[in-house]
Amino acid sequence: MAKRDSQVVDVRARAEATRARVPQDVMGILSGQEVTLRQMIRQTVGRHHVTIQYPEQRKPYSRRFRGVHVLTQRQDGSLKCTACYLCETVCPAECITIEAKEVSAPGIEKGPARYEIDLSRCIFCGLCVEACPEEALIMSREYDLTARSRGPESLRYGIKELTERPEIAAYGSGFRPHMQYPLVESYLPLTARPAAAAQPPAKRSKRR
Amino acid sequence: MPLVTVDGQQIEVEPGATIIQAADRLGVEIPRFCYHPDLRPEGNCRMCLVQVEGFARLVVACATPVTDGMVVSSPHTSAETAEAVQGVLEFLLINHPLDCPICDQAGECSLQDFYMHPDYGLHTSQVDVVEKVRKRKRIELGPRIVLDSERCVMCSRCVRFSADISGLAELQFIHRGNRVELIAFEDRALEDPYAGNLADLCPVGALTSRDFRFRRRVWHLAHTDSVCAGCSTGCNLRIDHAENRIERLVPRRNPAVNSSWICDEGRLSYLRANGPDRLSQPLLSGGEEVAWPDGIRHAQELLATDDASGTRPLLALASASATNESLLLFKHLVTRAFPHHRLDFRLSQETDLVGARQDHLLRRWDKHPNTMGAFYLGFSEQPGGLDDYLQAAEAGDCVALVLLYYPPLVGDELPPVAAALARLLELCPHSVVLTTHRLPYLKGASLSLPVAAWAEEEGTYTNYQGTVQHSAKATEPPGAAREATAVLADLLHTFTNHRPSTAPEVLFAELEHTVAAYRGLDYQHLPSRLASVYPPEGRMHYGEEGFSGR
Ligand code: SF4
Ligand code: SF4
Ligand code: SF4
Ligand code: SF4
Ligand code: FES
């Protein structure tokens, strides 16, 4: 029964047509490579680099960049933070831990005995900085963080790490909700080289 | 009975009730500062203004009695009232420091709630910060209270409490106009043993608690309703806790027991449970810590040395700080496992002192929350008590001692009681002590088993009036300590091969079944007052003396 219904198909015409299309297909592939090839030539011959030699070279970021936090200080060096817990309350990652203490300076009643941000949990949303009524917590432009353990060398930064690390100054300050940023300056072209002075120091190998 | 309509809802209230009381019963929130249900009304803050149909102007809800057919509109529904309340708020905010970030009241502050309220809130101030009238801040009025007079809204609740409730009249206003200031004479320390209540009743952060100061923000606290175990009054309170630590105790209103107050000693009683000297592992007399199965096995060995002749009894003593449920299982253990026993709860003169007042307000001399419960459970059927036990032990008439002991949460154990307990443990050949703390006077125990303290276990206490109240579990016991009911159930299982349920509602149902006084009570509907109240029928006595009612 199957025999009676079978048909003979001539595939020669189809093969012929495919063969005729070969040059066209090769050209298609080559034109797809055009961008790649053009970039290859630009970057090898023309030395126009899109990537940079990280970590020797670093890109400068916007002045509103949300990097590692900084606890700001009063002129006498005491922390501005009043331990109001608003940052801890608003933090969606629940990574801020505060313990308050009584402060006896004139006009100041309360301050933090302990202030800790677990940066390995932080999502750098900046809500804590926006919640702070004292501008006691701002952000820096520090973005590269490493730690060797979850223990003592972890990314749980305490008061000391959030105020005194030299990296803070080197990276410069980032997001501060009450600051008016000059718009032009805040978006530096990505190709700009960081000035030598702004180069961050070599990453510390050990904290504490 | 006058019928009154508040915001479209109707309610019948007793003659003489005020508008604010009717609204409270309907669940309509009328903003208020000076009104407090347990203080004499004063009507000075004007925050509770409402509109009444037919009245020419707005009236204060806290001091206007309802009349039949009155139709009242609160600021939630009447624009005119809302505007008036906003005006009052504006006056209050003119000089308010808005210290909210460092103010312990933030989160439970009436002023904060009102100025953020969508219906009548107002959170703009026309006055620049530098022009505000400054007053004195951080004035320590003794060990309980810190005063910040800038934050005061002059509602005079504290003044009325001090004058009318504690009776010492230690607070007063001075000056006039926007310089009015609350003071204690020469900033002297408050002597009031109820001063802690000032922090609760102050609607703003002017009077705050020294003890709780800066410890936590209130929105991080979990709340558990419970009762105080500091004395036989059984004040209703709320346990505020976080991360398995009690952070503060605040009173809960119960007009039949404690109104809205608790004493300062009771307020701080949680410090003892939080303390570092808790027993957290079963402990042998040599100081060796053992695991629970070994602890239970040791207990079995120590107590199973029953006298061959059967003439010397096992002495069983449970302090009246145990819950009714623990006492019930304790009684089962003693009566079922040890045919020859004596059972008691009297360490001292609890039965005489249970109703005796220490002052005019709340405190009572009996520092056990459940003396009446132990009494109704028949722990004092024979004349006896600790002194009797001591005499028996001196005469060698004792085979072993089993003691369920909780140190008082208020004050220290009476020195004669502590000495008697130490001597008793010394005299008894074997002793098993279930307790919460490592106590110097219980050092002589052959075996100490750690049990949960107040607020770490669920149960009921029967206070001096015969009101059965529910004490809730807020935190977990430290280390390996377990609820006394669980330990007693283990012991019962070891001795009788039967393991009773430790669910408090099951144990309470058994109490209801077997103890006549508790007939008809329902665990789900506590507090309930017993039909027969203090002084109870039957004998409550100590030693050979008869019971002396007070
Ligand atoms: S940046 Fe966001 S996640 Fe990180 S600490 Fe602040 S609030 Fe928390
Ligand atoms: S919000 Fe600002 S002032 Fe408040 S606790 Fe955080 S850092 Fe301190
Ligand atoms: S009293 Fe209330 S409004 Fe005033 S500072 Fe304290 S929390 Fe803020
Ligand atoms: S201190 Fe508090 S309770 Fe006393 S008058 Fe001022 S606001 Fe009212
Ligand atoms: S609550 Fe009515 S006047 Fe203060």
Side-chain angles (χ1 to χ4, degrees), chain B residues 22-144:
Chain B
D24 278 354
R25 256 172 258 176
L26 282 171
V28 175
E29 279 176 33
I30 293 183
R32 81 283 307 264
F33 286 117
C34 69
Y35 171 76
H36 187 286
D38 291 312
L39 294 175
R40 120 180 95 82
E42 190 151 89
N44 62 32
C45 75
R46 314 319 270 185
M47 204 45 205
C48 65
L49 288 172
V50 289
Q51 196 173 29
V52 178
E53 249 173 49
F55 283 29
R57 40 190 130 148
L58 304 177
V59 295
V60 285
C62 67
T64 310
V66 295
T67 51
D68 196 27
M70 207 178 226
V71 179
V72 180
S73 310
S74 79
H76 301 287
T77 54
S78 140
E80 191 189 338
T81 319
E83 200 191 328
V85 171
Q86 266 186 352
V88 176
L89 269 179
E90 180 163 6
F91 274 122
L92 289 174
L93 289 174
I94 283 179
N95 290 315
H96 196 83
L98 291 182
D99 279 340
C100 308
I102 56 155
C103 179
D104 268 343
Q105 192 80 7
E108 53 183 13
C109 171
S110 297
L111 183 58
Q112 219 181 26
D113 293 349
F114 296 155
Y115 70 66
M116 289 295 185
H117 198 283
D119 292 343
Y120 48 82
L122 173 90
H123 40 273
T124 53
S125 172
Q126 312 283 325
V127 179
D128 195 68
V129 129
V130 291
E131 290 167 28
K132 293 197 177 204
V133 175
R134 303 304 308 265
K135 293 177 194 168
R136 301 185 312 146
K137 297 175 86 69
R138 187 160 51 184
I139 306 156
E140 307 227 349
L141 299 179
R144 301 275 167 273

Side-chain angles (χ1 to χ4, degrees), chain B residues 464-497:
Chain B
Y464 76 101
Q465 310 162 300
T467 303
V468 185
Q469 306 194 95
H470 182 247
S471 164
K473 173 171 177 164
T475 54
E476 292 296 330
R482 297 158 69 203
E483 279 100 339
T485 45
V487 178
L488 290 165
D490 270 7
L491 291 172
L492 261 163
H493 182 240
T494 321
F495 282 103
T496 65
N497 257 329

